[in-house]
Amino acid sequence: MTYKRRKYHKGDTHLKKGWRTKRRTKDLDEINEDIKDEYAPALLNQEVDLDKPGAAQHYCLHCARYFIDNKALLDHFTTKVHKRRLKALELEPYTIEDSERAAGKGNYVLPRKRKIETQPGKDADKIEVDDDDVNAAPATKITRTEDNTLA
């Protein structure tokens, strides 16, 4: 015996845009503008905003994400998501001039690769680490000196 298919989500077409844009982040061309020297310091040194995670003090410039503390930001720098974003930002963004060259107006020039490095973390060398966490896999390299202090 066959059953009629029930269309539970038939009337949800007005909600589709909200579903598509729920976790939308900046595109690569917008991030490329943010990386430039005139905009980057303003994004890395933002005023305290209590509505954003970590009061907007820990921001990944390449991924356009806020983090709750410096340790979370430094852990993020070692993730695949961040490394993939750095790899995607290596190529220069596509411009209108490139599209005109590809269409036959002028000579086509291959996009150049850039060297993109992870931003320096705030106080990366001053992370507080408990003695219990020394054996765990840390975000940064922690070593013990001869007098049993963490360095």
Side-chain angles (χ1 to χ4, degrees), residues 86-93 110-116:
L86 290 179
K87 187 77 172 171
L89 287 169
E90 280 183 357
L91 283 180
E92 286 188 347
L110 287 173
R112 290 178 286 166
K113 283 203 168 198
R114 305 180 287 182
K115 179 69 176 164
I116 303 286

Side-chain angles (χ1 to χ4, degrees), residues 10-110:
K10 178 183 171 189
D12 290 345
T13 54
H14 65 285
L15 299 173
K16 279 186 181 177
K17 185 173 184 181
W19 292 333
R20 276 195 310 257
T21 60
K22 186 173 184 179
R23 291 179 190 87
R24 182 141 173 83
T25 58
K26 286 186 176 182
D27 290 326
L28 292 177
D29 57 340
E30 294 172 315
I31 292 174
N32 187 56
E33 289 295 317
D34 292 345
I35 290 175
K36 292 184 179 174
D37 292 334
E38 59 264 15
Y39 301 117
L43 287 170
L44 292 176
N45 303 314
Q46 296 182 28
E47 293 182 13
V48 173
D49 184 4
L50 298 177
D51 292 334
K52 295 180 180 167
Q57 298 302 301
H58 310 285
Y59 182 72
C60 178
L61 192 61
H62 303 102
C63 300
R65 286 186 59 190
Y66 292 95
F67 292 92
I68 196 160
D69 60 359
N70 197 31
K71 185 175 183 329
L73 177 66
L74 292 175
D75 286 342
H76 163 73
F77 289 158
T78 62
T79 61
K80 281 186 179 181
V81 175
H82 181 75
K83 291 175 183 177
R84 284 184 193 136
R85 181 57 63 102
L86 290 179
K87 187 77 172 171
L89 287 169
E90 280 183 357
L91 283 180
E92 286 188 347
Y94 194 70
T95 62
I96 295 172
E97 291 81 21
D98 291 336
S99 64
E100 289 175 352
R101 287 188 200 118
K105 297 181 181 178
N107 294 331
Y108 180 71
V109 178
L110 287 173

